[in-house]
Amino acid sequence: RADLANRWYDTGEFERALQYASSTLTWERAGVTERYAAWLVTARIRQKNNEFGLAERAWRQALPLADEASPDAESQRRSLLEQLASAIYQQGEKAARAGDATLAVAHFQRVEGVMPGSEIAIKARYDAANTLLRASDWLAAINELQRFRMDYPSHELTPETSEKLVLAYQESGQGLKAAEELLSRSEKDWPWEHIKRFTSNMIKQEKLILLP
């Protein structure tokens, strides 16, 4: 049955492939290898159909079977984890497009639990911060950006957090912190005249006296 599910999948007959995969999973005599193959077919089809929540469930079901079902278990587990992380990340993207920032951020933050330190997990963390910025959730965005910078100080995306922090500080009424963030950057990143003008305005807004 699982073999038939794979054959239908290979021919692009996804509905029939799902039917055979489902019948395999409900078959009492199905062995580990057959159930593993059925969950893989199910996961791939759900992912192709943009049913990312169902795809996540299927990848999770396949994971504990990989050790027994695959001769190259370590490689298979790595591949499954990558697919699982992708399914979760895509749920975050889908929620963000729908305007549900809270759900999107929750999904983005879950990716790290599957593949900590991976590129997709780092990107998800960064996208979580951007989602909070777009939602004008300034304090949460500040917290996420600061955590990102602390956790990944050498990542290529980290320098971009500075400008985003300046915006979030400014919009949340923390002009002095926005000015401090600007001053902490090198003149290469921020022209000195721009820094001086911006910090002067921010300090004035907070009713502080700018010393000569």
Side-chain angles (χ1 to χ4, degrees), residues 95-96 98-106 108 128 131-132 134-135:
D100 192 337
T102 301
L103 182 59
V105 170
F108 285 140
T131 300
L132 291 166
R134 285 193 292 270

Side-chain angles (χ1 to χ4, degrees), residues 2-161:
D3 182 57
L4 286 171
N6 272 313
R7 291 184 184 183
W8 285 119
Y9 175 83
D10 289 339
T11 61
E13 294 284 347
F14 294 155
E15 286 303 316
R16 290 195 178 190
L18 278 176
Q19 289 172 7
Y20 278 98
S22 178
S23 68
T24 300
L25 294 170
T26 56
W27 185 33
E28 292 181 359
R29 295 172 58 187
V32 172
T33 301
E34 290 170 311
R35 285 186 288 120
Y36 180 67
W39 279 121
L40 289 185
V41 168
T42 302
R44 289 167 182 155
I45 293 173
R46 296 304 188 190
Q47 196 113 340
K48 283 182 178 291
N49 290 342
N50 296 331
E51 298 171 311
F52 302 119
L54 293 174
E56 178 188 350
R57 176 178 178 271
W59 293 122
R60 288 190 183 277
Q61 293 292 333
L63 264 170
L65 304 176
D67 288 343
E68 289 186 57
S70 173
D72 187 6
E74 185 176 347
S75 175
Q76 277 297 300
R77 282 186 61 81
R78 175 74 183 183
S79 177
L80 291 173
L81 286 171
E82 288 174 353
Q83 294 293 344
L84 174 57
S86 177
I88 297 171
Y89 178 82
Q90 288 171 305
Q91 288 178 74
E93 287 187 313
K94 188 174 181 179
R97 287 193 298 269
D100 192 337
T102 301
L103 182 59
V105 170
H107 284 312
F108 285 140
Q109 292 177 335
R110 288 199 300 126
V111 177
E112 191 171 33
V114 175
M115 294 194 73
S118 65
E119 196 60 33
I120 192 172
I122 294 171
K123 188 175 187 302
R125 285 274 303 275
Y126 188 75
D127 286 349
N130 282 331
T131 300
L132 291 166
L133 287 172
R134 285 193 292 270
S136 301
D137 193 343
W138 307 117
L139 297 181
I142 289 168
N143 181 61
E144 194 66 31
L145 288 165
Q146 289 176 333
R147 286 180 57 237
F148 185 93
R149 189 155 65 180
M150 184 180 301
D151 291 344
Y152 309 110
S154 301
H155 195 271
E156 61 182 8
L157 290 173
T158 300
E160 297 181 21
T161 62

